[in-house]
Amino acid sequence: DQQVKQNSPSLSVQEGRISILNCDYTNSMFDYFLWYKKYPAEGPTFLISISSIKDKNEDGRFTVFLNKSAKHLSLHIVPSQPGDSAVYFCAAPMGYGGSQGNLIFGKGTKLSVKP
Amino acid sequence: KAGVTQTPRYLIKTRGQQVTLSCSPISGHRSVSWYQQTPGQGLQFLFEYFSETQRNKGNFPGRFSGRQFSNSRSEMNVSTLELGDSALYLCASSFNSGDGSPLHFGNGTRLTVT
């Protein structure tokens, strides 16, 4: 059973427009969420995170929104740039013993930003 | 500061063989985690080490094992390789597991089992 779900395998957006990537989760014990970006032939790189005590976290062009009642989070990229084209993963730590090395990942959404 | 280094980048092995993959974390990082990425299953957690102790283990068979050395470097071993073990194996490190710091991933080792 997938505890973190990204239901859109791909998304195509025009340069300069907003990209919205969605993620749903089923485990109400999750209290922290992260987004990672992955380019081909590279490992994932951390993008932005949010704690469950917040409903929004912003870092430059990237904003993550958390709706705990709906168990849903979204990543907004404004404005989108061609260099943002990558696979985006939503993740949550299982948190056993406070560990955050054990992340549950969604299957990713491939974002293509067209010039 | 050097990133997470994984060696080798590519490996081709035959069914039944065993393989050892190596990971050097970012200097000062004490937590090392391993993940397997496949097209079907995505990124799946294998195990996590902190200060030479296995802290968590994912749902993988006992053929998958790992260890961490006193300098925080880590190795993972897969014995009796199966075709389904073909995957990208990613290592990630963080300063102190549990402090909220994000994982820093290496570029992975691409294992092909024939």
Side-chain angles (χ1 to χ4, degrees):
Chain A
D1 179 36
Q2 275 188 273
Q3 297 188 63
V4 177
K5 301 178 188 180
Q6 293 176 260
N7 292 319
S8 298
S10 63
L11 175 67
S12 184
V13 170
Q14 206 67 31
E15 181 180 5
R17 307 296 290 267
I18 184 171
S19 295
I20 300 177
L21 297 100
N22 293 304
C23 177
D24 297 297
Y25 62 96
T26 57
N27 190 337
S28 57
M29 298 296 290
F30 288 152
D31 59 4
Y32 192 71
F33 301 90
L34 307 96
W35 285 92
Y36 283 83
K37 177 170 75 171
K38 187 180 185 300
Y39 293 117
E42 293 183 12
T45 54
F46 170 72
L47 198 56
I48 192 169
S49 61
I50 189 166
S51 164
S52 61
I53 62 173
K54 295 185 174 182
D55 54 17
K56 176 183 173 182
N57 189 26
E58 200 169 348
D59 184 1
R61 297 187 296 115
F62 302 91
T63 303
V64 57
F65 295 92
L66 174 61
N67 182 334
K68 282 180 289 183
S69 60
K71 294 193 179 73
H72 177 83
L73 60 157
S74 60
L75 174 68
H76 293 212
I77 307 174
V78 184
S80 302
Q81 299 173 353
D84 296 329
S85 297
V87 179
Y88 289 78
F89 293 95
C90 171
M94 284 301 288
Y96 295 136
S99 164
Q100 293 190 0
N102 176 2
L103 292 177
I104 303 296
F105 281 90
K107 294 215 170 167
T109 296
K110 184 175 182 180
L111 174 65
S112 299
V113 181
K114 301 191 183 306
Chain B
K1 210 174 191 182
V4 177
T5 304
Q6 292 187 245
T7 55
R9 285 298 308 271
Y10 302 93
L11 262 179
I12 300 176
K13 290 285 186 178
T14 304
R15 247 183 331 176
Q17 288 185 315
Q18 76 162 16
V19 67
T20 299
L21 312 181
S22 181
C23 172
S24 293
I26 291 172
S27 178
H29 284 192
R30 295 165 63 193
S31 172
V32 174
S33 300
W34 288 88
Y35 289 81
Q36 181 196 64
Q37 186 182 23
T38 58
Q41 299 300 318
L43 278 156
Q44 291 189 287
F45 171 74
L46 279 156
F47 24 66
E48 177 195 8
Y49 289 87
F50 181 75
S51 293
E52 301 179 67
T53 302
Q54 188 179 87
R55 188 165 189 170
N56 283 296
K57 190 176 192 308
N59 189 24
F60 278 82
R63 300 185 297 106
F64 291 81
S65 63
R67 59 178 175 168
Q68 186 181 31
F69 302 96
S70 58
N71 61 359
S72 293
R73 193 177 68 84
S74 178
E75 288 181 347
M76 68 162 280
N77 185 77
V78 188
S79 62
T80 320
L81 283 165
E82 301 177 359
L83 295 178
D85 297 333
S86 294
L88 179 67
Y89 290 88
L90 291 159
C91 169
S93 73
S94 65
F95 175 68
N96 186 1
S97 176
D99 69 349
S101 53
L103 299 183
H104 298 262
F105 283 85
N107 288 334
T109 294
R110 171 73 63 184
L111 172 65
T112 303
V113 181
T114 62

